[in-house]
Every structure is written in structure tokens, then in C-alpha cells.
Amino acid sequence: MSPGTGRAARQGGTHDLLAGADDTLRVLDRCRALVRPALEEAVGRLHPWVGEMAAYSFGWCEVGGAPAAASGGKGVRQALAVLGAEAAGAPGRAGVTAAVAVELVHTFSLLHDDIMDGDVDRRRRAAVWKAYGTGPAVLAGDALFALAVETLAAQPGGGGAVRTLSAALADLVRGQADDLLFAGRPWTGPERVRPEEYRAMAEHKTGALLGCAAALGAVLGGAGPETVGALDRVGRHLGIAFQIVDDVLGIWGDPTVTGKPVHGDLRERKKTFPVLVALDSPVGDRIAALLESGDVSRAAALIEEAGGRSAAMAEARRHITAVETALAGVPMAAGAAGELRSLLGYLLRREV
């Protein structure tokens, strides 16, 4: 392992996390290019029909199998796994197996999430369940999870890696369960969702797999426990920040950019962070009444006036600061540390 950190890898702070969008896009492109051949090879081992649904979900083909060039996502988890290996001083290819396994689990979760949430679109085209049917989409998701386990288990020392991935998946399920239950809870009163419950949900639902990606990459790259633990914490804080920014986009984002309808999260009664903060303000009862009546446009305006949007972004930045704290002082290769900081800041800035 070649730490190569010293002063240069530790300087900068939160300001550096918010810089370098072009560099970050190059990092994402580089990591996707490194991982894709292995990801395609893994998907090629599936039943042909199931493999087609998987390829469709990755944006590689249309329904029926015709080649396509649709967006398969930015590949954030893939990048975290590759950078986790590089942070340990190993070549990026050492993290490819971790990247493939985590990407398969992430895609499995998206297929099932879209069914649970009734979302008909994913990345500006029909969700897998809408394109192929609910049963086939469930089957494809199950196959992707099984494939992820098989891929990791085949690695030397794969048993420990599978346990790490399984623990992250258990957290993801716990977070998704809480998120679904939140929708049925009242806006106000003793049974309302508290911000601290939201943070735990976001860490589990979004942060666990991000942390797992970076930590698994580091493990396969030969990192010690200190670096592995720090990268897991990085991913978990990032997940909370990522989810909060997603909440802001779900209310105020540009639909042409986000692919989501205006105020869609409010219509679905999602207990997002900006809403929870605003409900605790002096105008919380008015906001709750507007949400109950379905007047989501006025509710969105009042949530912003009550400070929900600004408080959400401040909370996201607090978790990015926690990311910087986790990265500081941990031995890791300087180049990877810098690229990790660039990636994390880019995720916070997304079209907000």
C-alpha cells in the first residue's frame, strides 16, 4: 500500500468538495469504462430473457433486444468501488468485482423500488415493470441479486465480501421499509415523522450501499480496517446528503433535468427532509392543511418560505463536512483521495 497522502491529500476541506465538475465527469466516465466489460460478462451469464431485462435496465438495449444508448445512470457506486481500491494504492481494476456486485444490487433495488412506488418511468423511458410486466421485473431483480452474490463469492476471500454486501442490503431493506411506512403517517401530531427518523432512513436506504461500494473496493485493493471503515462512513454520510438533495429536486427541480413531475414527492405524501423541517415551523399547520387538500403548489411555496429548502441544503452540507472529517487523516493514495472529494461535491451540487 502506498498512502501518498501527507499534507496535499488532506488539505482543502469542504470547498474542494464543491469544485471540479468536469474532472468528476471524467472520473465517472473512466470508472464506467473500466467496469462495463465485467458487468456485461456477468449479465451475459443470465437466462437470455432475464439478461435482456437487465440490459434494458442498464440502458444497453430496447425491449426486444435491439441495441440502445439510453442513460444507465452515472455509475456513482461503480466509481466509489474503483476509487476505494485506488485509495488503497491498488490499480482501479482491483475494485472492478466490487463495482459489478454493488451495481447489480443497486439495479435490483431500483427494479423493485419502481414496482413498490408505482413509478412508470426510469431515466426518461419506461421502467422495467412497465416495459416487461411486474412479474418479469421481480424475476429480473431477483436474478441480479443472485448474480451479485455469485460474482463476489467467486473472489478469493469472497465469503467476507458477501457478508459485507448482505449487511448493506439488510440496511437498504430496513430503510426502504421505513420510507414506505412514512407515507402512511400523519403530517402533524405525536405520530409524525421526526427529522432524526428521516436521517436513519436515508442512511440505510441510500448510504449503506454507497458505503459498501467504497469499502468493498478498498478491501479488494488491500486496504486496512481503518481505511475501510472510513470509506464506509463516507458513503453513509454521502447517502444522507444525496437523499436530501434528491428531496429538494423532487419538489423544486426542473422536470426536464430530473425526469420527475413538478411537486411529485408532495403528491405522493413523501415525508422528505424539507417538508419535515417546515412542518416544525410556526406555519406547519398551514402547510399540513395544504398538503391534505392536495394544493401542492401553494404548499411548496410555503415550505420554501418556512425555510425548508435552505435548511435541507444546510443539512446536506453538514453531512458533506462529515465526509471530509472521515477522509482526513486516513492513509490513502493522494490521487484517489482527490477524485473522491471531487465526486462527493459533484453529487451535492446536482442541478440544485
Side-chain angles (χ1 to χ4, degrees):
M1 179 173 174
S2 55
T5 47
R7 196 168 185 80
R10 298 174 190 173
Q11 285 180 336
T14 305
H15 176 75
D16 289 345
L17 289 175
L18 301 178
D22 289 343
D23 289 343
T24 304
L25 292 175
R26 282 192 287 273
V27 170
L28 290 169
D29 288 343
R30 174 177 70 84
C31 293
R32 280 198 305 268
L34 185 62
V35 172
R36 178 156 176 173
L39 188 58
E40 288 181 338
E41 189 277 330
V43 170
R45 300 199 300 270
L46 294 171
H47 181 284
W49 184 45
V50 176
E52 180 191 314
M53 287 185 278
Y56 175 88
S57 69
F58 288 122
W60 303 341
C61 75
E62 303 292 354
V63 175
S71 170
K74 294 181 176 66
V76 171
R77 291 154 190 84
Q78 299 176 41
L80 285 172
V82 170
L83 292 175
E86 292 176 349
R93 63 178 177 275
V96 166
T97 300
V100 169
V102 172
E103 189 67 17
L104 291 170
V105 167
H106 173 57
T107 305
F108 140 73
S109 74
L110 295 182
L111 264 62
H112 286 195
D113 283 357
D114 285 344
I115 294 168
M116 287 185 282
D117 296 341
D119 290 338
V120 298
D121 294 314
R122 167 70 59 179
R123 297 173 184 139
R124 296 181 178 81
R125 62 179 188 160
V128 173
W129 75 270
K130 194 67 175 175
Y132 288 88
T134 301
V138 171
L139 180 66
D142 292 345
L144 288 172
F145 173 61
L147 183 60
V149 173
E150 175 193 330
T151 299
L152 268 187
Q155 286 289 108
V162 169
R163 284 192 293 274
T164 298
L165 183 66
S166 297
L169 180 59
D171 274 353
L172 187 156
V173 170
R174 185 178 296 111
Q176 179 68 14
D178 283 339
D179 196 29
L180 289 172
L181 288 170
F182 286 175
R185 288 170 62 178
W187 295 110
T188 59
E191 296 301 315
R192 72 185 186 277
V193 179
R194 310 284 180 166
E196 57 270 21
E197 293 179 278
Y198 172 97
R199 292 185 190 96
M201 178 277 295
E203 179 186 336
H204 292 143
K205 179 182 176 183
T206 307
L209 202 55
L210 291 170
C212 177
L216 273 182
V219 167
L220 297 184
E226 185 182 5
T227 299
V228 171
L231 289 174
D232 181 66
R233 291 193 299 276
V234 162
R236 286 173 179 271
H237 282 294
L238 173 61
I240 299 173
F242 188 95
Q243 190 65 55
I244 290 172
V245 172
D246 207 51
D247 290 350
V248 172
L249 293 173
I251 300 176
W252 297 286
D254 181 350
T256 64
V257 174
T258 65
K260 299 178 179 181
V262 176
H263 305 147
D265 283 357
L266 297 181
R267 290 190 182 87
E268 294 173 21
R269 298 182 60 87
K270 289 191 175 180
K271 305 303 190 296
T272 60
F273 195 84
V275 176
L276 298 179
V277 171
L279 287 171
D280 279 337
S281 75
V283 295
D285 288 341
R286 287 175 56 199
I287 292 170
L290 290 170
L291 291 170
E292 286 293 346
S293 71
D295 192 346
V296 293
S297 295
R298 288 178 61 196
L302 194 54
I303 289 166
E304 185 162 14
E305 289 175 23
R309 182 173 183 170
S310 60
M313 293 310 300
E315 179 74 9
R317 290 187 178 92
R318 278 193 288 276
H319 286 282
I320 291 298
T321 299
V323 164
E324 182 61 37
T325 300
L327 287 174
V330 177
M332 62 180 69
E339 289 186 334
L340 274 169
R341 287 182 169 91
S342 175
L343 174 61
L344 302 177
Y346 169 80
L347 294 173
L348 179 63
R349 278 197 323 273
R350 301 173 295 143
E351 305 295 340
V352 176

